[in-house]
Amino acid sequence: MKRREFLRDAALLVAAGGIAPTWAIAETNNDLLRGTLTMDASKKLATLPADYMGLSYESAQLANPEFFAASNKALIALFHELGARGVLRLGGGTSEFTAFTTEEIAGPAPFDVVGPDTSKNVKGDTPITLKSLQNLRGFLDATGWQCLYGLNLGRGSVSRAAEEASYVFQILGPRLIAFQLGNEPDAWRNRYRPATWTYEDYRKEWVTAREAVVARVPQAKFAGPDVSNKVPYVTGFAEDAKKYEPEVVMLTSHYYAMGPAGAKDVTMEKLLAPDPKLERDLKVIMEAARGAALPYRMDEGNSCWNGGQDGVSNTLASALWVVDVMLEFAVGGCAGMNLHGGGNGLYTPIAGSIAAGFERRPEFYGMLLAKEFVGASLIASTLVCDDADVKAYVASKNGRLMALVVNKTEKMVAMKVPINHAKSQWTLSGPAIDARSGVSLAHSAGNTLHGDELRTSPYSAVLVQE
Ligand code: BDP
């Protein structure tokens, strides 16, 4: 059937009370965005490592030793869904309020869960006990994940951090990737340190703390600088890391797309639009990482700091943002991402507690789609499309090409892709862009391409694989 006839028939069908295919309606409304995605097969970009997927939790969560424990089967199952391997990063603002102790603590934990919604209220010392660490080991063994462990340097003492490090090292064994010394030291100015605080000051403290840790744990490995956003700390740390090869094993920094929550410019539109700062900063960070021959990991981040924005951080918009940002970082050469969360925070990928049960939030589904790229090699591609809120990626996995279109617009997208027969398709979608529930990732077998054209409904993402 010719296209015009089909559209006419679709319109008649609607007039008669029937249901026309959504893309036919979109086209009759002249609401179709066209695009072309071409690839340069000779240019392989990065391959996403087996542990690209990651989550970040507040260190204070360890104060409840039952949370990260082999007995928390429901949480383990959700971690498994996100990856057979992955990285759990422990740190965040509350890591400066933790107090390690070898004494057993009687009575209930100070709280069941702590997430971005409550982390700012944790101002008293929260205990981390041997039981917390032993249970954490059981949790990591059960998930198959490894851990980046943040020590309290902002408010804690160096000798206590070194003591904690010796137990963490012993108990976590091969599950420990590295220690981090302090959370967001670039934000300590006027908080835990004087107004004159710079990277140079942090470097001095880092060197002292590193010496203390290495004195207790000669085989200790480090990652850092775990900064909030100040790129000069990352470049400075990368340069200094060369002196500590092979102890420093990873470069890390955080990425929040927006913030603080509640600010006027924290909107869904902004989250869905390209972030020029990300592109700019990632280039500099990756240059530093390559110069120091270190992998770089975005080890804490999410859509909007200060707990997230209701109606944005917990909606389909956040799911579309997450899959796109995870691939954008990968294209840049990033070795892994840890989405921050926990508790019942607005931006957490997994919400809930042992007592209430755990639930997959919209971001979880975005992560699930990104997970399909683990082990895949991204291929250099060129996207021509009128709307910058449409993104696309090409990769090859097990010799099969895959193409992803992330449509963050209200229009249907018809994209020419360098694949003309797909065996598998994944669709990330939800009832509405601001839907807080009903977001899903559907997988289907069979060819869904129209020739070499991939149709992606408004506010959805579609991945096809040969
Ligand atoms: C980051 C902190 C993290 C917070 C987050 C937020 O490291 O602990 O949860 O901000 O404000 O700076 O949401």
Side-chain angles (χ1 to χ4, degrees):
M1 196 188 313
K2 279 201 207 111
R3 213 173 62 148
R4 198 171 294 139
E5 274 170 359
F6 179 85
L7 294 176
R8 192 203 56 213
D9 289 351
L12 288 175
L13 186 70
V14 176
I19 298 166
T22 44
W23 66 267
I25 293 172
E27 200 155 4
T28 49
N29 291 346
N30 208 13
D31 256 350
L32 186 75
L33 265 170
R34 293 196 174 277
T36 307
L37 177 67
T38 49
M39 65 166 177
D40 180 349
S42 66
K43 270 199 208 143
K44 284 251 158 73
L45 306 172
T47 298
L48 280 78
D51 64 354
Y52 190 81
M53 304 303 291
L55 291 167
S56 164
Y57 276 77
E58 293 290 332
S59 294
Q61 185 57 69
L62 291 171
N64 172 9
E66 304 312 323
F67 190 85
F68 290 119
S71 53
N72 194 352
K73 299 255 185 317
L75 190 60
I76 290 166
L78 291 168
F79 271 57
H80 268 155
E81 270 185 54
L82 291 176
R85 284 182 57 190
V87 175
L88 167 62
R89 176 267 185 172
L90 292 166
T94 66
S95 69
E96 315 296 6
F97 293 90
T98 53
F100 173 73
T101 171
T102 50
E103 278 161 35
E104 273 318 306
I105 293 186
F111 39 72
D112 285 341
V113 290
V114 56
D117 51 333
T118 54
S119 62
K120 298 275 196 284
N121 311 330
V122 177
K123 295 289 182 213
D125 286 351
T126 55
I128 296 179
T129 61
L130 292 175
K131 189 173 174 202
S132 317
L133 298 180
Q134 279 146 2
N135 285 359
L136 173 63
R137 171 69 192 264
F139 181 85
L140 293 167
D141 282 344
T143 52
W145 286 36
Q146 284 184 296
C147 178
L148 276 175
Y149 193 97
L151 295 165
N152 180 350
L153 193 65
R155 290 178 63 256
S157 81
V158 163
S159 61
R160 244 175 136 176
E163 189 196 14
E164 181 173 357
S166 71
Y167 284 100
V168 172
F169 185 82
Q170 213 179 299
I171 295 169
L172 297 191
R175 295 278 161 213
L176 175 69
I177 299 172
F179 294 111
Q180 304 216 79
L181 303 175
N183 177 67
E184 302 191 339
D186 57 332
W188 289 357
R189 224 175 121 235
N190 288 328
R191 193 189 280 172
Y192 309 132
R193 297 295 185 273
T196 53
W197 178 255
T198 63
Y199 171 68
E200 277 307 298
D201 300 305
Y202 175 65
R203 189 177 60 82
K204 281 182 207 138
E205 287 200 21
W206 188 90
V207 168
T208 311
R210 175 242 158 224
E211 256 158 43
V213 171
V214 169
R216 300 282 302 249
V217 188
Q219 308 98 305
K221 303 265 184 279
F222 299 93
D226 198 36
V227 283
S228 140
N229 56 50
K230 293 201 176 44
V231 177
Y233 276 65
V234 185
T235 50
F237 189 87
E239 199 49 42
D240 289 324
K242 294 177 189 165
K243 296 179 212 124
Y244 297 100
E245 273 177 317
E247 268 174 34
V248 177
V249 292
M250 188 186 289
L251 212 55
T252 59
S253 69
H254 301 177
Y255 174 67
Y256 284 89
M258 306 184 292
K264 264 214 272 342
D265 66 341
V266 168
T267 61
M268 198 177 293
E269 289 68 32
K270 187 172 177 193
L271 186 67
L272 297 178
D275 177 0
K277 189 173 181 299
L278 163 59
E279 205 182 314
R280 221 170 39 232
D281 288 356
L282 191 56
K283 233 180 229 146
V284 180
I285 291 172
M286 286 313 304
E287 232 172 71
R290 286 184 191 116
L294 288 174
Y296 162 71
R297 204 169 171 99
M298 196 299 285
D299 75 316
E300 183 202 303
N302 218 306
S303 53
C304 170
W305 60 274
N306 237 358
Q309 182 73 41
D310 188 28
V312 178
S313 302
N314 51 353
T315 64
L316 171 61
S318 71
L320 294 172
W321 168 79
V322 108
V323 63
D324 185 34
V325 87
M326 290 194 86
L327 285 158
E328 197 170 339
F329 268 91
V331 166
C334 173
M337 310 248 311
N338 296 72
L339 275 299
H340 194 54
N344 291 298
L346 290 164
Y347 58 61
T348 188
I350 300 171
S353 63
I354 297 169
F358 292 94
E359 60 166 312
R360 299 169 189 81
R361 285 282 182 78
E363 267 194 14
F364 187 91
Y365 298 96
M367 292 182 77
L368 279 186
L369 183 51
K371 187 191 81 170
E372 293 303 323
F373 283 83
V374 169
S377 299
L378 290 155
I379 300 171
S381 61
T382 306
L383 171 65
V384 179
C385 184
D386 281 346
D387 197 319
D389 290 355
V390 177
K391 299 286 289 293
Y393 301 89
V394 191
S396 154
K397 190 173 167 180
N398 304 326
R400 289 158 64 193
L401 280 177
M402 49 210 283
L404 168 71
V405 173
V406 186
N407 179 6
K408 299 184 282 182
T409 77
E410 59 189 4
K411 296 182 179 170
M412 169 69 71
V413 169
M415 179 82 66
K416 288 209 176 305
V417 293
I419 296 180
N420 44 37
H421 190 91
K423 284 207 184 106
S424 254
Q425 170 165 324
W426 291 259
T427 306
L428 173 65
S429 62
I433 188 63
D434 57 357
R436 293 173 176 80
S437 61
V439 174
S440 67
L441 179 68
H443 177 246
S444 59
N447 187 34
T448 44
L449 293 173
H450 306 249
D452 63 352
E453 193 174 274
L454 174 61
R455 296 258 169 170
T456 306
S457 298
Y459 298 127
S460 69
V462 176
L463 167 67
V464 284
Q465 184 170 28
E466 277 180 338

